[in-house]
Amino acid sequence: MQSKSLKSTLSFDDLIHHHGSAKVLAVDDNQKNIQVIGQLLKNTNWCSLSVCLESEKAIKLASKIHPDIILLDLHMPNLNGIEVLKELNKKDILKTSTVLFLTADREIENRLEGLSLGCADYIQKPFNSEEFIIKLKYHIKMRLYEKEILNTLKNTKNILDNINQAIFSINKSGEIINPISKHSNEIFGPIVKPGHKIEGFLKDKFQFSQTEISSIVNKLLDSFKESKIHWTKIQNTLPTKYLFHANEGQEKVLKIKYSSVWNDQTLENIIFYFYDITDKEQKEDDVTKYSLSQISSLS
């Protein structure tokens, strides 16, 4: 089973359609620059523009409206752009807003400081209209794409919390990542947490030798370096049943299926689906034993 990533399937127009016009806050003490920005965005249907001429008021306004993008002048009186950025960081505004600095300054030190504090990009003054629009649309797309991912994860978590299967994913480092189904923790306990290694999970919970575990882990991790065709071949060599050490010494038989998440030709995640088939296995075993006993009685 393979699924496309959101990034490869949602266009800029799709994101605007799903989330509405992006909120853009322009902060510059120069009225002419604000007017230029207003003219550039005048006839767009993909953003709504708010403006502010004072840095202190801009911080309050950003806290109130939670813009998707903040176009922030680097050199302003009272608080300059770097100082405003620090205040935005303190208020956790950068968790939901992307900051782009507007500046005629070509000093690399100022740019590096801004980038280290969370500024995503710079737009050079005087504005080149084509560059301005391209950069702004790109960062709007990234911000709305992030919203889409968060919404998808939230919806996925709601589904996973109500599904009677153990489901989780691993990344290319072999680390377990979200989303993790609620049933995963009920079956396996606290070892199924983001950041835990799949190798440790297999050692702790299943009856595999170290050689078998190393083989499984190597196959999984090698898949991230290979093609979709390679993944299909590897998938067919992975175990489909696991004998699991449950609580109080019980043993359960779990059936497993694997799924892959791709971004174009790059494997991003491998998803594990565990099904408890202990009762089914027991019934089949009982039927086999009964059949053998019947055959023996006839001989």
Side-chain angles (χ1 to χ4, degrees):
M1 184 187 299
Q2 296 175 356
S3 58
K4 293 183 179 180
S5 69
L6 287 171
K7 192 173 182 179
S8 63
T9 58
L10 290 176
S11 67
F12 181 82
D13 290 339
D14 290 332
L15 290 165
I16 294 298
H17 177 73
H18 290 174
H19 298 279
S21 297
K23 291 186 287 186
V24 177
L25 172 61
V27 184
D28 197 315
D29 63 304
N30 189 319
Q31 181 71 48
K32 289 184 178 179
N33 288 333
I34 292 292
Q35 289 173 349
V36 170
I37 293 171
Q39 285 298 315
L40 289 172
L41 301 179
K42 182 178 179 181
N43 296 318
T44 64
N45 61 357
W46 41 265
C47 78
S48 59
L49 179 65
S50 300
V51 300
C52 193
L53 296 170
E54 299 177 32
S55 51
E56 293 93 339
K57 290 183 178 179
I59 296 169
K60 294 179 181 178
L61 184 57
S63 300
K64 181 180 179 180
I65 68 173
H66 301 288
D68 297 297
I69 304 291
I70 300 175
L71 301 172
L72 181 59
D73 184 25
L74 184 57
H75 296 292
M76 293 184 291
N78 299 324
L79 295 179
N80 63 31
I82 294 293
E83 291 168 326
V84 171
L85 188 58
K86 290 178 180 178
E87 290 300 314
L88 295 175
N89 260 318
K90 288 179 184 178
K91 297 179 181 294
D92 287 335
I93 293 173
L94 296 192
K95 289 183 178 179
T96 56
S97 301
T98 298
V99 173
L100 310 180
F101 269 141
L102 310 175
T103 181
D105 191 348
R106 296 182 180 274
E107 291 294 326
I108 188 64
E109 290 81 5
N110 289 335
R111 290 174 178 256
L112 291 176
E113 185 178 8
L115 291 170
S116 69
L117 291 171
C119 166
D121 205 347
Y122 282 80
I123 299 179
Q124 193 71 34
K125 294 180 183 178
F127 301 130
N128 174 286
S129 58
E130 186 175 1
E131 178 193 21
F132 181 90
I133 295 297
I134 288 174
K135 283 192 172 184
L136 182 57
K137 289 184 75 172
Y138 170 79
H139 288 288
I140 286 174
K141 183 177 181 180
M142 292 301 100
R143 174 55 62 188
L144 297 185
Y145 171 57
E146 185 175 319
K147 283 186 179 181
E148 191 73 21
I149 290 175
L150 291 174
N151 287 343
T152 301
L153 288 175
K154 183 179 179 180
N155 293 335
T156 302
K157 186 178 185 305
N158 290 336
I159 293 170
L160 291 179
D161 284 348
N162 291 285
I163 198 169
N164 194 30
Q165 294 174 18
I167 302 173
F168 60 82
S169 305
I170 64 167
N171 59 19
K172 64 181 179 181
S173 299
E175 295 175 342
I176 295 172
I177 59 174
N178 281 318
I180 298 169
S181 71
K182 184 178 180 181
H183 201 57
S184 296
N185 298 118
E186 292 175 356
I187 293 179
F188 300 124
I191 196 168
V192 184
K193 284 186 177 179
H196 283 197
K197 293 285 188 178
I198 189 66
E199 183 173 2
F201 169 76
L202 294 174
K203 283 181 181 178
D204 186 70
K205 296 297 181 182
F206 298 96
Q207 293 184 1
F208 290 119
S209 68
Q210 182 56 51
T211 301
E212 290 172 320
I213 290 173
S214 297
S215 175
I216 294 169
V217 172
N218 288 337
K219 286 178 180 179
L220 291 169
L221 298 186
D222 285 347
S223 298
F224 286 93
K225 307 171 188 175
E226 303 291 345
S227 65
K228 292 182 180 180
I229 295 175
H230 177 83
W231 162 248
T232 302
K233 293 178 181 178
I234 288 295
Q235 193 175 3
N236 293 331
T237 68
L238 293 170
T240 56
K241 289 183 183 179
Y242 287 67
L243 190 59
F244 164 60
H245 300 291
N247 295 329
E248 300 176 357
Q250 292 180 331
E251 288 187 348
K252 289 184 175 291
V253 181
L254 300 180
K255 184 178 180 180
I256 182 170
K257 291 185 178 180
Y258 308 87
S259 176
S260 56
V261 178
W262 294 80
N263 181 9
D264 295 326
Q265 297 301 312
T266 302
L267 178 59
E268 293 188 339
N269 304 321
I270 296 174
I271 306 173
F272 295 73
Y273 303 82
F274 293 91
Y275 307 81
D276 188 346
I277 58 171
T278 307
D279 291 341
K280 180 182 177 183
E281 290 281 306
Q282 185 61 53
K283 287 178 182 177
E284 290 179 354
D285 188 47
D286 290 343
V287 169
T288 301
K289 288 179 180 178
Y290 176 76
S291 299
L292 289 173
S293 67
Q294 292 296 99
I295 293 171
S296 297
S297 66
L298 294 173
S299 60

